[in-house]
Amino acid sequence: MNITYLLIPVLIGLICGIAGYYIGKMNSKKDDSLSASLQSDLDVCYANTKNLHNRIKALETDLAFKTKTHYLSHKHFVLFDSETATTVMGRKIKENDMKIIEGIGIKIESLFRHSGITTWHELSEASSEKIQSVLDAGGENYAIHNPITWPKQAFLAYQGKWKELKDLQENMLSGKE
């Protein structure tokens, strides 16, 4: 028996084994990068889903609050008590002063007054779309504000619930509950 006949198949098998090993290794790297890419896409989807759930919750809260506000606003009229407001809030409060609402300053108050929203009661009943359109009309410096809690704060001020308003504002972070 000639050794060449035995050596050639062994060498060919060894070369094919090494080549197969490296080809498999290269394919597994492609799978790892694909897996990492899919995982990052999945993480983005989870983050978007979480944001959407938070937005839905905020809208549901806003809707429930608007429904309650509409019912209560037609139920009775509330008189403004300046002394209680000043005592609880720690500064002099004038009736329908929009600046007591977290996130509203002199310029935004002026935008509201020019658009016909002049009282806490009117602000508490304004839709989110109406409030955002007033801000958008003021320019891009105002459009960035998040007015989601403004109707609720305005309603508490209108109702004379100063302690609840102060507690709400103290627990807010960047205008959000």
Side-chain angles (χ1 to χ4, degrees):
M1 178 155 205
N2 193 349
I3 194 145
T4 314
Y5 294 120
L6 187 59
L7 190 56
I8 290 175
V10 170
L11 286 176
I12 290 175
L14 186 62
I15 291 170
C16 288
I18 291 171
Y21 172 76
Y22 282 112
I23 290 171
K25 196 126 169 101
M26 288 181 355
N27 283 341
S28 72
K29 287 181 182 177
K30 289 180 184 176
D31 288 345
D32 289 344
S33 66
L34 178 63
S35 176
S37 174
L38 290 174
Q39 184 61 47
S40 69
D41 288 346
L42 184 61
D43 292 341
V44 168
C45 288
Y46 282 139
N48 285 341
T49 301
K50 185 176 180 182
N51 288 340
L52 289 172
H53 281 293
N54 288 340
R55 180 71 178 141
I56 288 169
K57 184 178 177 184
L59 289 172
E60 286 173 344
T61 303
D62 190 35
L63 178 63
F65 178 73
K66 293 286 185 194
T67 304
K68 180 181 173 186
T69 303
H70 183 73
Y71 171 74
L72 290 175
S73 66
H74 291 87
K75 194 172 179 182
H76 59 81
F77 180 76
V78 179
L79 294 175
F80 176 67
D81 181 5
S82 177
E83 289 179 24
T84 304
T86 301
T87 303
V88 173
M89 298 303 284
R91 64 183 172 107
K92 187 161 178 68
I93 305 292
K94 294 190 307 189
E95 187 171 13
N96 295 314
D97 179 5
M98 301 285 186
K99 295 181 298 295
I100 67 157
I101 295 169
E102 182 75 26
I104 296 181
I106 295 170
K107 292 183 179 183
I108 293 177
E109 180 181 41
S110 176
L111 289 174
F112 281 132
R113 295 207 183 278
H114 282 68
S115 70
I117 299 174
T118 60
T119 67
W120 295 324
H121 185 251
E122 291 168 345
L123 180 58
S124 73
E125 290 191 329
S127 68
S128 300
E129 292 80 18
K130 169 73 174 165
I131 294 170
Q132 193 61 53
S133 71
V134 170
L135 293 173
D136 292 344
E140 64 183 40
N141 290 339
Y142 302 105
I144 61 172
H145 289 275
N146 184 356
I148 195 77
T149 63
W150 294 358
K152 184 175 184 178
Q153 292 180 65
F155 182 71
L156 292 173
Y158 169 71
Q159 290 289 311
K161 297 181 179 179
W162 301 107
K163 177 73 172 125
E164 290 177 37
L165 176 60
K166 185 156 181 79
D167 290 344
L168 174 66
Q169 290 176 343
E170 287 174 352
N171 292 319
M172 291 171 66
L173 180 64
S174 299
K176 298 179 185 174
E177 290 185 79

